[in-house]
């Protein structure tokens, strides 16, 4: 598992960076915020006070979304939420994963939408668990060798592993096995990949090991994405319902 995680972070850094950028833009999809941030760094502001006040309200609204992950429909709602946070009426954890589901503080009928989102989230998690349950055994650094009889052995660059009997064979073991008549043909065939001097056969082994490694990494990413997506949908929409109702109630009290 450590090798797998290392492979994901080492070989997929570009995808990881893209993923982080996507998360940022999900929280703050408007490019105007980043434009405004750059202009403020260079102290470029409106000369008209009314424009400046309006721009500050929008900027603060966008800044709240970036910092807290909550989307609002107006600067007044953003200020209301900030005040509620300061007073302890709203907890920061309630904003988790809510920005994707629209602005809070807006009255809407969401019962059917609630059921649909939760069902999709459960399906994501169930799919991930099904993949984990049905996933064939894979050993890091090895390639699976399937025989016609359905038995499996696992070959690395230097060893052969028999999972069924929990036995591992190194190159010296394989040399002895190749000389024993009674040994199963499947074990002899797998050992041949270890002791061979044929460069094409060795290249075939290395290529197969790399292909299985890539397949394992892709499977890991898929399972992680399904689990994360399901959790995000269920928790995010549940938090959205709570915070939306709370903000609507606070607006009524004003």
């Amino acid at each position: 598992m450590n090798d797998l995680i290392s492979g994901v972070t080492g070989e997929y850094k570009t995808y990881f960076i893209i993923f982080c950028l996507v998360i940022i833009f999900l929280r703050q999809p408007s490019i105007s915020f980043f434009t405004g941030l750059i202009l403020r760094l260079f102290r470029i502001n409106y000369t008209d006070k009314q424009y400046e006040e309006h721009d500050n309200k929008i900027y603060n609204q966008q800044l709240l979304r970036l910092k807290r992950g909550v989307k609002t429909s107006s600067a007044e709602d953003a200020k209301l939420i900030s005040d509620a946070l300061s007073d302890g009426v709203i907890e920061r954890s309630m904003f988790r994963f809510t920005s994707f589901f629209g602005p809070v503080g807006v009255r809407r009928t969401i019962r059917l939408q609630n059921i649909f989102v939760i069902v999709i989230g459960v399906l994501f998690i169930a799919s991930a668990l099904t993949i984990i349950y049905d996933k064939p055994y894979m050993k890091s650094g090895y390639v699976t060798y399937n025989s016609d009889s359905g038995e499996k052995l696992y070959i690395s660059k230097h060893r052969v592993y028999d999972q069924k009997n929990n036995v591992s064979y190194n190159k010296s073991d394989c040399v002895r096995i190749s000389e024993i008549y009674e040994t199963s043909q499947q074990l002899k065939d797998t050992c041949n990949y270890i002791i061979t001097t044929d460069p094409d056969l060795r290249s075939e082994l290395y290529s197969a090991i790399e292909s299985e490694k890539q397949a394992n990494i892709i499977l890991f990413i898929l399972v992680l994405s399904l689990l994360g997506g399901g959790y995000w949908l269920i928790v995010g929409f549940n938090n959205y319902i709570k915070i939306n109702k709370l903000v609507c109630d606070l607006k009524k009290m004003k």
Side-chain angles (χ1 to χ4, degrees):
M1 180 59 72
N2 289 335
D3 293 341
L4 192 58
I5 294 173
S6 176
V8 173
T9 56
E11 298 181 19
Y12 290 84
K13 286 181 180 178
T14 302
Y15 297 105
F16 179 73
I17 292 171
I18 293 173
F19 174 77
C20 291
L21 291 175
V22 169
I23 293 299
I24 291 174
F25 277 94
L26 281 175
R27 291 171 69 96
Q28 184 53 261
S30 175
I31 196 66
S32 63
F33 170 79
F34 300 99
T35 304
L37 180 62
I38 293 171
L39 292 175
R40 286 169 185 269
L41 289 174
F42 288 97
R43 300 183 180 277
I44 301 174
N45 295 315
Y46 290 105
T47 55
D48 189 298
K49 290 296 181 182
Q50 288 185 338
Y51 278 118
E52 186 176 356
E53 289 178 4
H54 180 68
D55 187 61
N56 285 335
K57 287 182 179 181
I58 295 176
Y59 179 80
N60 288 332
Q61 182 183 349
Q62 293 174 328
L63 185 60
L64 178 71
R65 180 176 183 183
L66 185 64
K67 290 179 64 177
R68 307 298 184 198
V70 60
K71 184 178 179 181
T72 56
S73 59
S74 66
E76 288 73 21
D77 285 355
K79 186 177 185 305
L80 178 67
I81 291 173
S82 296
D83 292 340
L85 275 169
S86 300
D87 297 337
V89 178
I90 295 176
E91 297 180 4
R92 288 179 174 83
S93 61
M94 296 177 69
F95 297 141
R96 193 173 298 144
F97 312 133
T98 60
S99 61
F100 182 77
F101 301 101
V104 299
V106 180
R107 287 287 181 188
R108 61 182 65 181
T109 303
I110 53 178
R111 291 180 181 178
L112 289 177
Q113 186 181 1
N114 186 11
I115 294 172
F116 177 74
V117 170
I118 290 176
V119 167
I120 295 298
V122 170
L123 284 176
F124 277 11
I125 294 174
S127 298
L129 295 177
T130 300
I131 292 173
I132 294 172
Y133 180 78
D134 293 337
K135 173 183 173 293
Y137 176 81
M138 292 182 180
K139 188 171 176 63
S140 180
Y142 287 71
V143 64
T144 307
Y145 183 91
N146 298 290
S147 69
D148 294 336
S149 62
E151 295 182 12
K152 293 182 179 180
L153 291 173
Y154 301 87
I155 318 170
S156 74
K157 295 178 181 179
H158 307 290
R159 305 186 74 86
V160 172
Y161 176 64
D162 182 352
Q163 183 206 10
K164 183 178 180 181
N165 300 310
N166 194 25
V167 180
S168 182
Y169 306 96
N170 59 23
K171 187 173 182 178
S172 298
D173 297 327
C174 282
V175 171
R176 289 195 297 270
I177 287 170
S178 65
E179 297 171 351
I180 301 174
Y181 179 77
E182 294 81 5
T183 306
S184 71
Q185 188 60 43
Q186 179 191 5
L187 186 55
K188 286 183 177 182
D189 290 341
T190 53
C191 274
N192 188 42
Y193 282 96
I194 305 300
I195 62 178
T196 185
T197 57
D198 184 350
D200 291 336
L201 203 59
R202 298 292 291 177
S203 176
E204 180 184 334
L205 173 63
Y206 294 168
S207 177
I209 291 173
E210 185 62 26
S211 295
E212 187 152 313
K213 177 185 176 183
Q214 296 295 327
N216 213 2
I217 290 174
I218 292 171
L219 192 64
F220 174 80
I221 294 173
L222 176 61
V223 169
L224 195 63
S225 299
L226 287 170
L227 286 173
Y231 177 80
W232 170 66
L233 283 172
I234 294 172
V235 174
F237 198 70
N238 185 56
N239 285 343
Y240 172 77
I241 293 172
K242 290 179 181 178
I243 193 69
N244 187 59
K245 182 178 183 303
L246 182 55
V247 173
C248 286
D249 292 341
L250 289 173
K251 289 171 70 173
K252 275 187 177 180
M253 295 170 59
K254 291 190 67 176

